[in-house]
Amino acid sequence: MVSAVGIDGATVTQVAQRHEVTRQQIYAWRHELKRKGLWSPE
């Protein structure tokens, strides 16, 4: 879900709604992946 943000212009809000999670949850997952060095926006 984290990597789905930005694909075809999808926003965090759209991805969250599509998967029935909160925007805050996606931001938390993204933060955790960045912290562990497992994700970068590129």
Side-chain angles (χ1 to χ4, degrees):
M1 281 184 257
V2 172
S3 61
V5 174
I7 295 176
D8 294 329
T11 65
V12 171
T13 299
Q14 291 168 331
V15 173
Q17 289 172 343
R18 188 178 313 141
H19 295 284
E20 299 181 350
V21 298
T22 65
R23 290 180 308 128
Q24 292 80 4
Q25 184 62 65
I26 292 177
Y27 287 124
W29 287 331
R30 183 162 54 182
H31 176 75
E32 186 68 16
L33 289 170
K34 282 181 183 178
R35 188 181 68 77
K36 292 180 178 181
L38 298 174
W39 183 78
S40 70
E42 292 83 41

